[in-house]
Each structure stands twice: as structure tokens, then as C-alpha cells.
Amino acid sequence: MERFFAKGKKSPYYQEIQAAFLTMEKQFEQTLRTDHRVLSKAATHLLKSGGKRLRPALVLLGGRLGQQSDVHQMPLALAMETVHMATLVHDDVVDSAALRRGKPTVKAKWGNEVSVFTGTFLLARAMSMIASYEDAYLNQRTAEVALEMCCGELDQMNSAFQIDESTDTYKKRIKQKTAYLISACCELGAYISGASREIVAALRYYGEAIGMAFQITDDILDYQLNNMTLGKVIGGDIREGIATLPLIYAAKHSSQRERILSIFSKKQKGEEEVREVIGLVSACGGIRYAEDIAEKHIAEAKKAVEIIEDRELREVYHQIADFILTRNQ
Amino acid sequence: MERFFAKGKKSPYYQEIQAAFLTMEKQFEQTLRTDHRVLSKAATHLLKSGGKRLRPALVLLGGRLGQQSDVHQMPLALAMETVHMATLVHDDVVDSAALRRGKPTVKAKWGNEVSVFTGTFLLARAMSMIASYEDAYLNQRTAEVALEMCCGELDQMNSAFQIDESTDTYKKRIKQKTAYLISACCELGAYISGASREIVAALRYYGEAIGMAFQITDDILDYQLNNMTLGKVIGGDIREGIATLPLIYAAKHSSQRERILSIFSKKQKGEEEVREVIGLVSACGGIRYAEDIAEKHIAEAKKAVEIIEDRELREVYHQIADFILTRNQ
């Protein structure tokens, strides 16, 4: 949890959210428990692989905007992280990566079959937790978000190896794939806590903006050579033919467009070729451009939460926005 | 729809349910429409592949138990068939079959990736339709059923090539995989129509019983040599190492147990070997045994609906039960 807060600036909210966070981690294992052996193992494996837990943090934080306790927010917090985990498992069926967060993927350990049903199990589990609130809007919104996520994932597959994608198409795709879920965490966390309509709407907007910045930053990380020294694999998107913002920009503005295109369109690329594309994208300002766009989203997000009267709480939302921009993993 | 009714016995319910059924088919395409090209194609492909539409028929029929119109029942009817379709698409990722209902599977046409997200899309779409009722019980029950179905599918994978499975394990698995969804169609169809608690409970039981019989009959069809003359592929379960009721019985009672076991445990089986197993299973009474169990479930189902006062309506439920037992596809 501390990762979301600016160093040295201890918010009065820090301690209580930290406590809620610890409770959540404990409850998570219980939540995903099933008497089905392989499912149970796969779910526990996923849990232990960690993750930032950004989504549940946003739901728990939403409780501060209304009058609700962490106990009330908890099922939604767990459900949202579970939806996220479901998409990770299904993504792995599509991606060829054998590792996620440095650990073997469910697919690598148990195969496509287990991945398909583990992912669906997680989604159904999340829907069941959400149904426990007996709130129509909550059910409707979560089902909608799951639908959008599927469309975003399929769009990404369809647009593989298409370098001349428009920025709008890219934005629509990452909105579906990533931003809507983060937006729903912010919005619904405020909504179930009984926050005002204005606050709920503002949080929905805040969430969408940080969600966009989150995915753009994620895509930028794949282009940062200095990440290699951290032992991280970079250039994965280039290898798989996924055009993200830095590359889309470079395809339009680089004097080396033809060279970039000729490497990018290959199904198999050498390590040197991938590095060359990264160098060319960086040289023409593609990474800087993507960073600018991410910064704009973050600025919009911060503006959206001006409506929050509690200065300290507003500050927490600002710090999370800053964290998203500056994170290096 | 006429397939569910006994020939020659025209129920006064026949015409109205038939009309509702036609409306449903028309609405189905609209329901699954999305501006996502591949998703839309995959969903339409599935729709055109047909199917018995047993699940929505049961939901629509449930409307007759309360005071609700077909318009009210329709979203649930469509949602339940959509859940069923989601599992078919995900099953295809697991199965190696290239055809389903004589048409190429989504997997065969578009690959694993599209199958995973099409299946999840369908599930999310169903949950969204169900959420439109703004009824907590409905959301909860459907999510639970989806969870059980995932467990059943994974169990089937885990127990592959295990011939000495107990009948109880088999029953639990088919309950999860098949019977719970059919049960939910019967129960929830009655529930949303405003039927009494007793009727709703009876329908849940009826649905579970016909669901069990449905799967057992399905498993028996895979052992019926006379189906081969219809151009159907039989012995698929034997080839994939799935032990169903006829085989589980034979493994316990056949004098040729060792021979059955030695063929069944092979990963690759010749056509002659598969036929030999079918012959041995049939010879020791395995098929007859499974038929008996299916018949018992059907008898229980019929008993459960004795509570329905309208004789003609009760008769429709009886005819559907009979259809399940006697169907040959």
C-alpha cells in the first residue's frame, strides 16, 4: 500500500488504509478458496504472484468519500481485483509469455484448459461477490466493464502488426482493456459508500483518466532500455506486433519509418532488431510524446477530484495519480 | 420447439410457446450484436449453428407458472442460452474437436484466443441481461451456477483417463457441468414469473433431475453404434479418456475389464479399438445401466411437477422430460 503514497508525506489516511489493506490480503485467500484442487492451486498461485493491488486500494479509498466502513467496501474491493486477475489468466492463453511478475503463468504451469476455466471461475466468483450487495447498478456496471474488457482484448489481437493505427483507435482500445475497470473501482467504491452523485461522477472520471495514464505508462515501460538493467524483459509489444503509443507516433513522425516498419512487421525479430526499433522510436520523440499524453490524463484526473472537500483525502488521490505516472514496474 | 412435444398430442400451450420461441430467435441476434467485428461474427456463427434451445424453452415455460408475459421472461431466456453458449465456446478450447453440431467450432475458425474472449464476452453479456431484472437472487444464483460449471469442467479434465471413478464423482461432475444450469432455467423462470415458493422449489428439483438425465443420455449417445449410420461421430469420450456412466459400470462389472482398461488408457486409439470398447461396455450391460439411471431421474422429475395444478401445463413438463430420455441427438 505504501507504494501509492509519496515518500515522506504521511497522510492521516495512510495508517487506516494500510490496515484495511492487510485485512484484504488475509481475506483474499479465503475468497478464492474452493474445494476444487487445481482451481484452488491456480488461484493461490495467482495470489502469491502479488501485484500492486491498485484496484482494491481505489475501492477502499472510496469508502472515505461516503459513510461506509472497510467491512462494507471489502467484497467489492476483492471482487474488482478478482476481475483483474481473471483477465490476466485469460490474457496468458493469448500471450506466449511463460512468466508474469517473474513467476510461471497459470497457462505455463497447468495449460490452456485450466487457464480458460480458472479465468472464468474468477469472473463468476467476482460477479457473485458483487451480487451480494443486492444493488442493480453495481451488477450492471460490472457486467458492462467485463464486456468492454473482452472487446478491448479482441481488438488488440485484431490490430496486431498494424503500425498505422490511429491514436484514437489506440485510446479506445486501452480504455476498454484497462481504464474502464479502474474507473469502475473509483466510481463504484464511492457509490457503495453512499457518496453524493457529483462525487461519484467525478470519481468515475478520475478513474478513467488515471486508467488511461496507467496503460500508457505500462506501454512506455516496454520501451525503456534502463529497465533492462533491472532484469526486466522489454520490447515484448514490439515482438508480438502490438503497436502502442510510442510506436504509433514514430510511424507517423520518424524519418526512419520504413526501417521501423520493416522490422515491426516481421513475425520473428532478433534481439538487436528490437533494440533498434526502441532506439528509433525514442530518437524521434515517440516516448516523450506518450509521456506527455499520460501527463495530460493525470492532470485531468487531479482536476476531477478538486470536488473532494477533505484536503488530506484529495491529496491521497493526487498521490495515487502521481504514483501511476512515476512507477517503474 | 415442436421437438419438445410428444407427436400427435397438441397441447393448448403449444401455439403460444411456439410464438414466443420465434420471437426469441429473432431477438437473439440483436442480443449478441456488438460493434466488434470478430466477436459479432463468432457470436452469429454460434447462433446459426443451432442447438435445441432447451434452456430458454424452460425459462419461457416458467412464465406460465406465474403471472408474467413472455416479454418479461425473454431476457432471462436469452441470458441462459447465452451462458450455455459461453461454455460451449470455452469447451472447444479444451476439446480437440473441430466440429460442433456439424459446423466448425469458433476455435477451429478463429483460434484459441478468440474463443477465450468470445466465451467470456458471452458470459458477461448474460450477466448484464440478468442484472437488468434488478433482482439480487437472480444475480446470485446465476453467478453460482457459472462457478459450478467451471468446477465441473475442470473436474472432467482432472479425471481424464481415470476409469475407476465412482458413480458419485461422476454424478457430482455432471450436476455441476450440466444439471445446475438446466435447474436454474426451470427454477428462475418460475421465480421471475412470480410463482409460489413451493412451485419454484419444485421446478428447481425438476430441472436438476432432467438435467442429470440430459447429460447421462448425452453420454449414452456416444456409445450408440446405430448413431454412426446417422453420420454422427461416436466414441469421442473414449478417445479423449472421459469415463462416463456406461464405462464406469463396465469397469466394475465386465469380465473383460482388463481389455477395456488397456484400450481406454491409451492416448491414441484405433477406430477398431474404440468400437471394441463400445461393444464390451454394451455387452456387460453398461448402457442399459446408464439408461436405467436416466429413467429414474426422469421419473423423479415428473413426480416433482405433480404440484402444478394445471393439468395441461404439467403435461408439457412431462413431455419435455420424455423428450430428454428419447432424444437421439
Side-chain angles (χ1 to χ4, degrees), chain A residues 36 38-39 90 94 112-113 116-117 120-121 125 128 131-132 134 136 139-140 147 150-151 154-155 157-158, chain B residues 36 38-39 90 94 112-113 116-117 120-121 128 131-132 134 136 139-140 147 150-151 153-155 157-158:
Chain A
H36 191 289
V38 172
L39 255 185
H90 280 169
V94 177
N112 268 344
E113 294 77 2
V116 171
F117 290 108
T120 310
F121 169 86
R125 191 74 196 82
S128 144
S132 72
E134 308 199 356
N139 286 303
Q140 192 64 55
L147 277 177
C150 292
C151 292
L154 282 166
D155 258 331
M157 280 191 289
N158 285 338
Chain B
H36 193 288
V38 173
L39 255 185
H90 279 170
V94 177
N112 268 344
E113 295 78 1
V116 172
F117 290 109
T120 311
F121 169 86
S128 145
S132 72
E134 309 199 355
N139 286 303
Q140 193 65 54
L147 277 177
C150 291
C151 292
E153 291 290 346
L154 282 165
D155 258 331
M157 280 191 289
N158 285 340

Side-chain angles (χ1 to χ4, degrees), chain A residues 92-108:
Chain A
D92 290 337
V93 177
V94 177
D95 293 347
S96 47
L99 296 178
R100 181 179 287 279
R101 299 170 184 159
K103 298 211 174 175
T105 60
V106 171
K107 175 192 170 166

